[in-house]
Amino acid sequence: MLGRTANGLYWMFRHIERAENGARLIDAGLRMSLTRSEATEGDWDGVLQSAGVRELYDEVHDTLTSSDAIDFLLRDRANPSSVMSCIEAGRHNARMVRTALTRETWEATNECWIEMKAMLAKKARPADMPEIIDTIKRRAGLIRGAFHGTMLRNEIFNFSRIGTFIERADNTARILDVKYYVLLPAVAAVGSSMDNVQWESILRSVSAHRAYGWVYDAELRPANIADFLISNGRMPRSLAYCYEKIVSNLGYLAREYGETHAAHETAEQTLASLRSRSMTDIMDQGLHEYLEEFISDNNRLGQEISDGYRFYH
């Protein structure tokens, strides 16, 4: 496979996943703000920090407001990680590798762009946010469904899946970080009814609330929730599940081309760490510190995969 094709597939699915994840991050912020007795604009400072765009926001806006923060995350072209920017970038990459995609996958991607371009043509009203977030998630799901249902399981599929799961792991870590480190107002709130509502909001924002109840008892315990989203290999948005899929797809590429590179070792080491570290160890280290370290390692893996494109030709 030409390096450019691998690059296009990898980034197409990273951008589609990032668009959905951006919607989920906004959803987490909105749900969190509803748990406050008095919502503050500072809530969105944490969301912007976790999205990695706080400094970029300050370059565009003089003050922080919830309305501007949501618009910046949703549709601002000055933000390359905004939902609309990601959808446009995903479609651009899909066009570049059009001949490597099935008709169904291309049409689902193009229809997503058409609908979201119309829906996000102007600043969203608060009352419209639930519909907008649901539409973004539904459209991303349709692209994945078309891709899964029609594509050959070859290197095209492998590069696409690697891009999806690197982006998904990054998002799960960031959403956990929003709750645990940034939005919790005080140590005194730990274990309170507000704390429990916020943890429930996190589960709902990653579509894991019902699944959590199937695995654990009904009580929302922070350590169990963190374990579910970090270590549970059956939960499709957990860090462990994402890295099992990354390692698996890198393994297929290694067998296809008969060689391995730095990305294979990094992914395997990260997966081994996810499997071996107990939640007690993670909590003792500090969940925020652990997530920061994970996000850094995940970014390094993404760079190593990008650097490795020249090997696949």
Side-chain angles (χ1 to χ4, degrees), residues 14 17-18 21-29 32 43-55 73 79 81 165-184 199 202 205-206 229-230 237-239 242 287-288 290-300:
R14 281 204 70 164
E17 185 72 21
R18 189 176 297 179
N21 293 340
R24 290 180 181 276
L25 199 60
I26 294 169
D27 188 34
M32 291 291 188
D43 289 348
W44 289 95
D45 174 68
V47 176
L48 291 168
Q49 286 185 42
S50 289
V53 295
R54 185 63 176 94
E55 293 181 2
L73 292 166
N79 176 12
S81 294
F165 286 109
I166 286 180
E167 198 64 42
R168 184 174 296 179
D170 178 84
N171 176 72
T172 297
R174 290 181 186 276
I175 283 184
L176 262 176
D177 200 37
V178 168
K179 163 65 185 78
Y180 199 85
Y181 178 74
V182 181
L183 293 183
L184 191 64
W199 278 113
I202 287 297
S205 68
V206 293
L229 297 181
I230 292 173
R237 290 190 172 272
S238 75
L239 306 187
C242 290
L287 184 57
H288 170 66
Y290 174 81
L291 293 171
E292 272 195 327
E293 181 181 316
F294 175 85
I295 291 169
S296 176
D297 290 343
N298 193 58
N299 289 340
R300 177 161 59 93

Side-chain angles (χ1 to χ4, degrees), residues 108-291:
T109 304
N110 196 46
E111 288 167 5
C112 171
W113 174 74
I114 291 170
E115 182 171 10
M116 296 316 305
K117 187 177 181 181
M119 183 172 279
L120 300 179
K122 58 184 179 179
K123 197 169 187 175
R125 299 180 304 163
D128 294 332
M129 287 307 302
E131 180 184 358
I132 290 172
I133 290 169
D134 285 346
T135 300
I136 295 165
K137 292 191 288 188
R138 176 171 54 84
R139 279 295 179 183
L142 287 172
I143 295 170
R144 282 196 301 273
F147 183 77
H148 275 255
T150 61
M151 293 293 295
L152 284 174
R153 268 43 176 179
N154 56 11
E155 68 269 31
I156 290 174
F157 187 83
N158 299 142
F159 275 112
S160 303
R161 297 296 280 164
I162 290 167
T164 294
F165 286 109
I166 286 180
E167 198 64 42
R168 184 174 296 179
D170 178 84
N171 176 72
T172 297
R174 290 181 186 276
I175 283 184
L176 262 176
D177 200 37
V178 168
K179 163 65 185 78
Y180 199 85
Y181 178 74
V182 181
L183 293 183
L184 191 64
V187 173
V190 175
S192 67
S193 59
M194 183 179 71
D195 186 37
N196 291 335
V197 169
Q198 289 181 344
W199 278 113
E200 180 179 349
S201 296
I202 287 297
L203 287 172
R204 291 188 184 280
S205 68
V206 293
S207 301
H209 184 257
R210 180 168 292 183
Y212 174 86
W214 291 335
V215 177
Y216 301 95
D217 56 32
E219 185 178 353
L220 297 176
R221 297 176 179 171
N224 285 349
I225 294 171
D227 179 69
F228 190 54
L229 297 181
I230 292 173
S231 305
N232 192 303
R234 296 175 295 173
M235 197 277 152
R237 290 190 172 272
S238 75
L239 306 187
Y241 181 91
C242 290
Y243 264 78
E244 286 172 2
K245 295 302 179 183
I246 291 168
V247 168
S248 174
N249 282 279
L250 282 171
Y252 291 138
L253 290 175
R255 290 191 288 275
E256 177 74 18
Y257 292 99
E259 56 188 12
T260 61
H261 303 286
H264 294 82
E265 182 178 356
T266 298
E268 288 167 1
Q269 288 175 348
T270 303
L271 178 58
S273 174
L274 287 166
R275 286 173 170 170
S276 64
R277 295 194 66 176
S278 69
M279 196 50 51
T280 301
D281 291 339
I282 291 172
M283 291 298 189
D284 286 346
Q285 175 186 347
L287 184 57
H288 170 66
E289 290 73 18
Y290 174 81
L291 293 171

